[in-house]
Amino acid sequence: MRVPLSKESLPVFDAIASATRIEIINLLSKKRMNVKELAQALSLSSPVTAKHVKILEEAGIIKTERIPGKAGMQKQSILKVDLIEIEFPRKVYPAYEFYEVSVPIGQYIDFLVEPTCGLSSVTEQIGEYDEPRYFADPRRYEAAILWFTQGFVEYKVINPLAKMDRLEMMEITMEVSSEFPTGNNNWPSDIHFTLNEEDLGTWLSPGDFVDVKGKYSPDWWPSTMNQYGVKVTIRITNHGVWINNKQTVWCRMKDLHLDRMMYDLKIAVEEDAEHVGGCTIFGKGFGNYDTNIEFKYYYSEKNDEEEDMLPPELPVESV
């Protein structure tokens, strides 16, 4: 469950602001229970327990279903969510304007992959699975999910800045996981990113998730196949690179050649990595985020057209 930091989300915040209701959530994470069973476990009366259950229901955290029992139909409560994310207002450079470029995952310009591997559109499998040659199939441009055990895919993306724009920060986001035949939630993989042939760092994917169906994955997609990933955000500033808020590289923007007209992004699982656990990239129509590889360019206005497209270097002590 993802909730914004707003008045409309107060029922959710109120629901979990109670030791009793937190205990109810913990109990329901293990099994279905009715009010009487919850009351006994909590050493509370049934009416008091029922009030707590109602608050959690109204917040959308649990639900109650009628199921057959020994004495006829009975109500049982079930936990609906296993994660609550709170979306805070964006803090990063709110004064800057930005451009957005969305790159479908099938629009890679180069690849070298090893099985297990494959790709699919939202409507059908593309070619044969575990046959790398199908990564060159013309239908690859329709791909909404792709995966490989080792190797890379490389994308080319436009730099949309105009003559009077100065790039202040850049973000690249995508939904990614590991790759394991039939899936494995505990399968770490070192996924490495480069931009313009320069190192952006490595992100450790925890697994290839198949425990629940991807929120946006098509109905026909097999439940044993890659279902969803983790949202990975690469943030590039003039003081280094961060992947999911962890700094991976210290560099200046000029070191990454961000004044080029076109950028090259490579996503790889390298042969000598500590965890060679593959890579799955989810695009629109698959996974939990319904997104392509998204590039966001934050910029300010230059004073003069002759000024550099990138911000000036600052002394280290001023950073």
Side-chain angles (χ1 to χ4, degrees), residues 214-261:
K215 183 177 179 181
Y216 295 101
S217 298
D219 291 338
W220 65 269
W221 186 245
S223 60
T224 55
M225 298 287 281
N226 326 57
Q227 292 297 322
Y228 65 93
V230 176
K231 187 176 184 180
V232 174
T233 299
I234 303 170
R235 181 172 297 153
I236 302 168
T237 75
N238 208 33
H239 314 306
V241 180
W242 283 258
I243 300 180
N244 283 7
N245 299 316
K246 179 180 180 181
Q247 188 164 21
T248 54
V249 174
W250 165 257
C251 65
R252 300 292 190 184
M253 284 185 174
K254 73 171 187 177
D255 299 328
L256 301 178
H257 317 295
L258 297 186
D259 52 355
R260 291 181 179 178
M261 293 178 59

Short mmCIF file of all heavy atoms in Angstrom, two decimals, residues 214-261:
data_model
loop_
_atom_site.label_atom_id
_atom_site.label_comp_id
_atom_site.label_asym_id
_atom_site.label_seq_id
_atom_site.Cartn_x
_atom_site.Cartn_y
_atom_site.Cartn_z
N GLY A 214 2.50 -9.69 -10.26
CA GLY A 214 2.79 -8.28 -10.47
C GLY A 214 1.51 -7.48 -10.65
O GLY A 214 0.57 -7.93 -11.32
N LYS A 215 1.45 -6.32 -10.06
CA LYS A 215 0.24 -5.50 -10.08
C LYS A 215 -0.23 -5.23 -11.50
O LYS A 215 -1.44 -5.19 -11.78
CB LYS A 215 0.51 -4.19 -9.33
CG LYS A 215 -0.69 -3.27 -9.22
CD LYS A 215 -0.34 -2.03 -8.41
CE LYS A 215 -1.52 -1.08 -8.31
NZ LYS A 215 -1.17 0.15 -7.54
N TYR A 216 0.71 -4.99 -12.43
CA TYR A 216 0.35 -4.63 -13.80
C TYR A 216 0.60 -5.75 -14.81
O TYR A 216 0.37 -5.56 -16.01
CB TYR A 216 1.11 -3.37 -14.22
CG TYR A 216 0.71 -2.16 -13.42
CD1 TYR A 216 1.52 -1.71 -12.37
CD2 TYR A 216 -0.47 -1.47 -13.68
CE1 TYR A 216 1.15 -0.60 -11.62
CE2 TYR A 216 -0.83 -0.37 -12.93
CZ TYR A 216 -0.02 0.06 -11.90
OH TYR A 216 -0.38 1.15 -11.16
N SER A 217 1.09 -6.90 -14.34
CA SER A 217 1.40 -7.98 -15.28
C SER A 217 0.12 -8.52 -15.91
O SER A 217 -0.92 -8.61 -15.26
CB SER A 217 2.15 -9.10 -14.55
OG SER A 217 3.39 -8.63 -14.05
N PRO A 218 0.16 -8.89 -17.20
CA PRO A 218 -1.04 -9.37 -17.90
C PRO A 218 -1.59 -10.64 -17.25
O PRO A 218 -0.85 -11.42 -16.64
CB PRO A 218 -0.55 -9.65 -19.31
CG PRO A 218 0.78 -9.00 -19.43
CD PRO A 218 1.34 -8.86 -18.07
N ASP A 219 -2.88 -10.86 -17.42
CA ASP A 219 -3.54 -12.03 -16.84
C ASP A 219 -2.96 -13.33 -17.40
O ASP A 219 -2.90 -14.35 -16.70
CB ASP A 219 -5.04 -11.99 -17.11
CG ASP A 219 -5.75 -10.88 -16.35
OD1 ASP A 219 -5.19 -10.43 -15.33
OD2 ASP A 219 -6.84 -10.47 -16.77
N TRP A 220 -2.51 -13.31 -18.67
CA TRP A 220 -2.01 -14.55 -19.27
C TRP A 220 -0.60 -14.90 -18.83
O TRP A 220 -0.14 -16.03 -19.04
CB TRP A 220 -2.03 -14.44 -20.81
CG TRP A 220 -1.09 -13.39 -21.36
CD1 TRP A 220 -1.37 -12.09 -21.62
CD2 TRP A 220 0.30 -13.56 -21.69
NE1 TRP A 220 -0.26 -11.43 -22.10
CE2 TRP A 220 0.78 -12.32 -22.16
CE3 TRP A 220 1.18 -14.65 -21.66
CZ2 TRP A 220 2.09 -12.13 -22.57
CZ3 TRP A 220 2.49 -14.46 -22.06
CH2 TRP A 220 2.93 -13.22 -22.51
N TRP A 221 0.08 -13.96 -18.19
CA TRP A 221 1.48 -14.18 -17.80
C TRP A 221 1.56 -15.27 -16.74
O TRP A 221 0.91 -15.16 -15.69
CB TRP A 221 2.09 -12.88 -17.29
CG TRP A 221 3.56 -12.93 -17.01
CD1 TRP A 221 4.16 -12.79 -15.79
CD2 TRP A 221 4.62 -13.10 -17.95
NE1 TRP A 221 5.52 -12.87 -15.91
CE2 TRP A 221 5.83 -13.06 -17.24
CE3 TRP A 221 4.65 -13.28 -19.34
CZ2 TRP A 221 7.07 -13.19 -17.86
CZ3 TRP A 221 5.89 -13.42 -19.95
CH2 TRP A 221 7.08 -13.37 -19.22
N PRO A 222 2.36 -16.34 -16.93
CA PRO A 222 2.40 -17.46 -15.97
C PRO A 222 2.84 -17.02 -14.58
O PRO A 222 3.72 -16.17 -14.42
CB PRO A 222 3.42 -18.42 -16.60
CG PRO A 222 3.45 -18.06 -18.04
CD PRO A 222 3.21 -16.58 -18.11
N SER A 223 2.23 -17.61 -13.56
CA SER A 223 2.54 -17.24 -12.17
C SER A 223 3.94 -17.69 -11.77
O SER A 223 4.48 -17.21 -10.76
CB SER A 223 1.51 -17.88 -11.23
OG SER A 223 1.53 -19.30 -11.34
N THR A 224 4.55 -18.60 -12.54
CA THR A 224 5.90 -19.08 -12.22
C THR A 224 6.99 -18.19 -12.83
O THR A 224 8.18 -18.44 -12.61
CB THR A 224 6.08 -20.51 -12.73
OG1 THR A 224 5.79 -20.54 -14.14
CG2 THR A 224 5.18 -21.47 -12.00
N MET A 225 6.59 -17.20 -13.62
CA MET A 225 7.56 -16.31 -14.27
C MET A 225 7.76 -15.04 -13.44
O MET A 225 6.99 -14.74 -12.53
CB MET A 225 7.07 -15.94 -15.67
CG MET A 225 6.91 -17.13 -16.60
SD MET A 225 8.48 -17.81 -17.17
CE MET A 225 8.90 -16.64 -18.46
N ASN A 226 8.81 -14.27 -13.78
CA ASN A 226 9.15 -13.02 -13.10
C ASN A 226 7.91 -12.15 -12.93
O ASN A 226 7.26 -11.80 -13.92
CB ASN A 226 10.19 -12.24 -13.90
CG ASN A 226 11.16 -13.15 -14.64
OD1 ASN A 226 10.75 -13.99 -15.43
ND2 ASN A 226 12.44 -12.95 -14.42
N GLN A 227 7.60 -11.74 -11.71
CA GLN A 227 6.34 -11.03 -11.45
C GLN A 227 6.53 -9.53 -11.21
O GLN A 227 5.75 -8.72 -11.68
CB GLN A 227 5.61 -11.66 -10.27
CG GLN A 227 5.09 -13.05 -10.56
CD GLN A 227 4.05 -13.07 -11.67
OE1 GLN A 227 3.21 -12.17 -11.76
NE2 GLN A 227 4.10 -14.07 -12.54
N TYR A 228 7.53 -9.17 -10.46
CA TYR A 228 7.74 -7.75 -10.16
C TYR A 228 9.17 -7.54 -9.68
O TYR A 228 9.89 -8.50 -9.38
CB TYR A 228 6.75 -7.26 -9.10
CG TYR A 228 6.93 -7.91 -7.74
CD1 TYR A 228 7.73 -7.32 -6.76
CD2 TYR A 228 6.31 -9.12 -7.42
CE1 TYR A 228 7.91 -7.91 -5.51
CE2 TYR A 228 6.48 -9.72 -6.19
CZ TYR A 228 7.28 -9.11 -5.23
OH TYR A 228 7.46 -9.71 -4.01
N GLY A 229 9.57 -6.28 -9.63
CA GLY A 229 10.93 -5.97 -9.18
C GLY A 229 10.94 -4.87 -8.14
O GLY A 229 9.94 -4.59 -7.48
N VAL A 230 12.08 -4.24 -8.02
CA VAL A 230 12.30 -3.13 -7.09
C VAL A 230 12.49 -1.87 -7.91
O VAL A 230 13.15 -1.90 -8.96
CB VAL A 230 13.53 -3.39 -6.20
CG1 VAL A 230 13.81 -2.19 -5.30
CG2 VAL A 230 13.33 -4.66 -5.36
N LYS A 231 11.92 -0.78 -7.47
CA LYS A 231 12.13 0.50 -8.16
C LYS A 231 13.53 1.02 -7.81
O LYS A 231 13.84 1.27 -6.66
CB LYS A 231 11.07 1.52 -7.74
CG LYS A 231 11.14 2.82 -8.54
CD LYS A 231 10.01 3.74 -8.15
CE LYS A 231 10.01 5.00 -9.00
NZ LYS A 231 8.89 5.92 -8.61
N VAL A 232 14.35 1.14 -8.82
CA VAL A 232 15.74 1.60 -8.64
C VAL A 232 15.86 3.01 -9.20
O VAL A 232 15.48 3.28 -10.34
CB VAL A 232 16.72 0.65 -9.36
CG1 VAL A 232 18.14 1.21 -9.30
CG2 VAL A 232 16.67 -0.74 -8.74
N THR A 233 16.39 3.92 -8.37
CA THR A 233 16.59 5.31 -8.78
C THR A 233 18.07 5.64 -8.72
O THR A 233 18.71 5.51 -7.67
CB THR A 233 15.82 6.28 -7.86
OG1 THR A 233 14.42 6.00 -7.94
CG2 THR A 233 16.07 7.73 -8.29
N ILE A 234 18.62 6.02 -9.87
CA ILE A 234 20.01 6.46 -9.95
C ILE A 234 19.99 7.98 -10.03
O ILE A 234 19.42 8.56 -10.95
CB ILE A 234 20.70 5.88 -11.20
CG1 ILE A 234 20.61 4.35 -11.20
CG2 ILE A 234 22.16 6.35 -11.27
CD1 ILE A 234 21.05 3.72 -12.50
N ARG A 235 20.57 8.63 -9.06
CA ARG A 235 20.59 10.10 -9.01
C ARG A 235 22.01 10.60 -9.24
O ARG A 235 22.94 10.21 -8.54
CB ARG A 235 20.05 10.59 -7.66
CG ARG A 235 20.01 12.10 -7.52
CD ARG A 235 19.29 12.49 -6.24
NE ARG A 235 17.91 12.06 -6.29
CZ ARG A 235 17.16 11.78 -5.21
NH1 ARG A 235 17.70 11.84 -4.02
NH2 ARG A 235 15.91 11.42 -5.35
N ILE A 236 22.15 11.46 -10.23
CA ILE A 236 23.46 11.97 -10.62
C ILE A 236 23.49 13.47 -10.34
O ILE A 236 22.65 14.22 -10.86
CB ILE A 236 23.74 11.70 -12.10
CG1 ILE A 236 23.67 10.20 -12.39
CG2 ILE A 236 25.09 12.26 -12.51
CD1 ILE A 236 23.64 9.86 -13.87
N THR A 237 24.45 13.92 -9.55
CA THR A 237 24.63 15.34 -9.27
C THR A 237 26.08 15.72 -9.56
O THR A 237 26.89 14.87 -9.95
CB THR A 237 24.31 15.67 -7.80
OG1 THR A 237 25.38 15.20 -6.96
CG2 THR A 237 23.00 15.00 -7.35
N ASN A 238 26.41 16.96 -9.33
CA ASN A 238 27.81 17.39 -9.53
C ASN A 238 28.70 16.97 -8.37
O ASN A 238 29.88 17.31 -8.33
CB ASN A 238 27.87 18.91 -9.71
CG ASN A 238 29.07 19.32 -10.56
OD1 ASN A 238 29.47 18.60 -11.47
ND2 ASN A 238 29.64 20.47 -10.27
N HIS A 239 28.13 16.24 -7.42
CA HIS A 239 28.89 15.77 -6.26
C HIS A 239 28.85 14.24 -6.14
O HIS A 239 29.10 13.71 -5.07
CB HIS A 239 28.35 16.40 -4.98
CG HIS A 239 28.12 17.87 -5.09
ND1 HIS A 239 29.09 18.74 -5.50
CD2 HIS A 239 27.01 18.61 -4.88
CE1 HIS A 239 28.60 19.98 -5.52
NE2 HIS A 239 27.34 19.93 -5.15
N GLY A 240 28.50 13.56 -7.23
CA GLY A 240 28.53 12.11 -7.18
C GLY A 240 27.25 11.45 -7.65
O GLY A 240 26.31 12.11 -8.08
N VAL A 241 27.24 10.12 -7.52
CA VAL A 241 26.12 9.29 -7.96
C VAL A 241 25.57 8.51 -6.77
O VAL A 241 26.34 7.96 -5.97
CB VAL A 241 26.56 8.30 -9.06
CG1 VAL A 241 25.39 7.44 -9.52
CG2 VAL A 241 27.18 9.04 -10.24
N TRP A 242 24.25 8.47 -6.68
CA TRP A 242 23.57 7.69 -5.65
C TRP A 242 22.62 6.69 -6.31
O TRP A 242 21.95 7.02 -7.29
CB TRP A 242 22.74 8.59 -4.73
CG TRP A 242 23.52 9.35 -3.71
CD1 TRP A 242 23.67 9.07 -2.38
CD2 TRP A 242 24.29 10.55 -3.93
NE1 TRP A 242 24.46 10.02 -1.77
CE2 TRP A 242 24.85 10.94 -2.70
CE3 TRP A 242 24.54 11.34 -5.05
CZ2 TRP A 242 25.64 12.07 -2.55
CZ3 TRP A 242 25.34 12.46 -4.92
CH2 TRP A 242 25.88 12.82 -3.68
N ILE A 243 22.59 5.47 -5.78
CA ILE A 243 21.61 4.48 -6.22
C ILE A 243 20.74 4.14 -5.03
O ILE A 243 21.24 3.64 -4.02
CB ILE A 243 22.27 3.22 -6.80
CG1 ILE A 243 23.15 3.57 -8.01
CG2 ILE A 243 21.20 2.19 -7.20
CD1 ILE A 243 23.84 2.39 -8.66
N ASN A 244 19.46 4.42 -5.14
CA ASN A 244 18.51 4.24 -4.03
C ASN A 244 19.06 4.84 -2.73
O ASN A 244 19.10 4.20 -1.68
CB ASN A 244 18.14 2.77 -3.86
CG ASN A 244 17.15 2.31 -4.90
OD1 ASN A 244 16.82 3.05 -5.84
ND2 ASN A 244 16.66 1.09 -4.79
N ASN A 245 19.51 6.09 -2.86
CA ASN A 245 19.95 6.92 -1.72
C ASN A 245 21.27 6.46 -1.09
O ASN A 245 21.63 6.94 -0.02
CB ASN A 245 18.86 6.99 -0.64
CG ASN A 245 17.59 7.62 -1.17
OD1 ASN A 245 17.63 8.64 -1.86
ND2 ASN A 245 16.45 7.02 -0.85
N LYS A 246 22.00 5.58 -1.75
CA LYS A 246 23.32 5.18 -1.26
C LYS A 246 24.37 5.62 -2.28
O LYS A 246 24.29 5.26 -3.45
CB LYS A 246 23.37 3.66 -1.08
CG LYS A 246 24.73 3.16 -0.60
CD LYS A 246 24.73 1.65 -0.43
CE LYS A 246 26.08 1.15 0.04
NZ LYS A 246 26.10 -0.33 0.19
N GLN A 247 25.34 6.42 -1.83
CA GLN A 247 26.33 6.91 -2.78
C GLN A 247 27.21 5.78 -3.26
O GLN A 247 27.74 4.98 -2.49
CB GLN A 247 27.20 8.01 -2.17
CG GLN A 247 28.11 8.67 -3.19
CD GLN A 247 28.71 9.98 -2.74
OE1 GLN A 247 28.77 10.26 -1.56
NE2 GLN A 247 29.14 10.80 -3.68
N THR A 248 27.35 5.69 -4.59
CA THR A 248 28.13 4.62 -5.20
C THR A 248 29.40 5.13 -5.87
O THR A 248 30.38 4.39 -6.00
CB THR A 248 27.29 3.87 -6.25
OG1 THR A 248 26.76 4.82 -7.19
CG2 THR A 248 26.14 3.13 -5.58
N VAL A 249 29.39 6.39 -6.33
CA VAL A 249 30.53 6.94 -7.07
C VAL A 249 30.68 8.40 -6.69
O VAL A 249 29.69 9.14 -6.57
CB VAL A 249 30.32 6.82 -8.60
CG1 VAL A 249 31.44 7.53 -9.36
CG2 VAL A 249 30.23 5.36 -9.03
N TRP A 250 31.93 8.84 -6.49
CA TRP A 250 32.21 10.27 -6.37
C TRP A 250 32.73 10.76 -7.72
O TRP A 250 33.73 10.26 -8.24
CB TRP A 250 33.24 10.56 -5.29
CG TRP A 250 33.80 11.95 -5.42
CD1 TRP A 250 35.00 12.31 -5.92
CD2 TRP A 250 33.13 13.17 -5.09
NE1 TRP A 250 35.15 13.66 -5.92
CE2 TRP A 250 34.01 14.24 -5.42
CE3 TRP A 250 31.89 13.48 -4.57
CZ2 TRP A 250 33.68 15.57 -5.23
CZ3 TRP A 250 31.57 14.81 -4.36
CH2 TRP A 250 32.46 15.83 -4.69
N CYS A 251 32.06 11.71 -8.31
CA CYS A 251 32.50 12.24 -9.60
C CYS A 251 31.81 13.57 -9.86
O CYS A 251 30.89 13.96 -9.13
CB CYS A 251 32.18 11.26 -10.73
SG CYS A 251 30.42 11.01 -11.01
N ARG A 252 32.27 14.28 -10.88
CA ARG A 252 31.61 15.48 -11.37
C ARG A 252 30.79 15.11 -12.61
O ARG A 252 31.06 14.11 -13.27
CB ARG A 252 32.64 16.55 -11.74
CG ARG A 252 33.54 16.98 -10.59
CD ARG A 252 32.78 17.71 -9.53
NE ARG A 252 33.70 18.31 -8.56
CZ ARG A 252 33.30 18.97 -7.47
NH1 ARG A 252 32.00 19.10 -7.22
NH2 ARG A 252 34.18 19.49 -6.63
N MET A 253 29.83 15.94 -12.93
CA MET A 253 29.02 15.67 -14.12
C MET A 253 29.87 15.60 -15.39
O MET A 253 29.60 14.79 -16.28
CB MET A 253 27.93 16.74 -14.27
CG MET A 253 26.78 16.57 -13.31
SD MET A 253 25.50 17.78 -13.65
CE MET A 253 24.23 17.23 -12.52
N LYS A 254 30.90 16.42 -15.45
CA LYS A 254 31.74 16.41 -16.66
C LYS A 254 32.46 15.07 -16.80
O LYS A 254 32.78 14.65 -17.93
CB LYS A 254 32.74 17.55 -16.63
CG LYS A 254 33.89 17.38 -15.65
CD LYS A 254 34.94 18.45 -15.84
CE LYS A 254 36.18 18.19 -14.99
NZ LYS A 254 37.24 19.19 -15.22
N ASP A 255 32.71 14.37 -15.68
CA ASP A 255 33.36 13.06 -15.75
C ASP A 255 32.47 12.03 -16.44
O ASP A 255 32.97 11.03 -16.97
CB ASP A 255 33.70 12.57 -14.34
CG ASP A 255 34.65 13.50 -13.61
OD1 ASP A 255 35.50 14.12 -14.29
OD2 ASP A 255 34.55 13.62 -12.37
N LEU A 256 31.17 12.27 -16.43
CA LEU A 256 30.22 11.36 -17.07
C LEU A 256 29.81 11.83 -18.47
O LEU A 256 28.94 11.24 -19.09
CB LEU A 256 28.96 11.22 -16.19
CG LEU A 256 29.19 10.68 -14.78
CD1 LEU A 256 27.88 10.65 -14.01
CD2 LEU A 256 29.82 9.29 -14.81
N HIS A 257 30.44 12.91 -18.94
CA HIS A 257 30.22 13.43 -20.31
C HIS A 257 28.75 13.80 -20.54
O HIS A 257 28.17 13.49 -21.58
CB HIS A 257 30.68 12.40 -21.35
CG HIS A 257 31.98 11.74 -21.01
ND1 HIS A 257 33.17 12.44 -20.95
CD2 HIS A 257 32.28 10.45 -20.69
CE1 HIS A 257 34.15 11.60 -20.62
NE2 HIS A 257 33.63 10.40 -20.45
N LEU A 258 28.16 14.48 -19.56
CA LEU A 258 26.74 14.80 -19.65
C LEU A 258 26.45 16.01 -20.53
O LEU A 258 25.30 16.45 -20.61
CB LEU A 258 26.16 15.02 -18.24
CG LEU A 258 26.21 13.79 -17.32
CD1 LEU A 258 25.47 14.07 -16.02
CD2 LEU A 258 25.61 12.57 -18.00
N ASP A 259 27.47 16.55 -21.19
CA ASP A 259 27.23 17.61 -22.16
C ASP A 259 27.09 17.05 -23.58
O ASP A 259 26.99 17.81 -24.54
CB ASP A 259 28.35 18.65 -22.11
CG ASP A 259 29.74 18.03 -22.22
OD1 ASP A 259 29.84 16.78 -22.25
OD2 ASP A 259 30.72 18.79 -22.27
N ARG A 260 27.07 15.73 -23.71
CA ARG A 260 26.86 15.12 -25.02
C ARG A 260 25.41 15.30 -25.49
O ARG A 260 24.50 15.49 -24.68
CB ARG A 260 27.17 13.63 -24.97
CG ARG A 260 28.64 13.29 -24.77
CD ARG A 260 28.80 11.77 -24.77
NE ARG A 260 30.21 11.38 -24.61
CZ ARG A 260 30.62 10.13 -24.54
NH1 ARG A 260 29.73 9.13 -24.62
NH2 ARG A 260 31.90 9.84 -24.40
N MET A 261 25.20 15.17 -26.78
CA MET A 261 23.85 15.25 -27.35
C MET A 261 23.06 13.97 -27.08
O MET A 261 21.83 13.98 -27.00
CB MET A 261 23.92 15.50 -28.85
CG MET A 261 24.47 16.85 -29.24
SD MET A 261 24.58 17.04 -31.04
CE MET A 261 22.86 16.82 -31.51
#
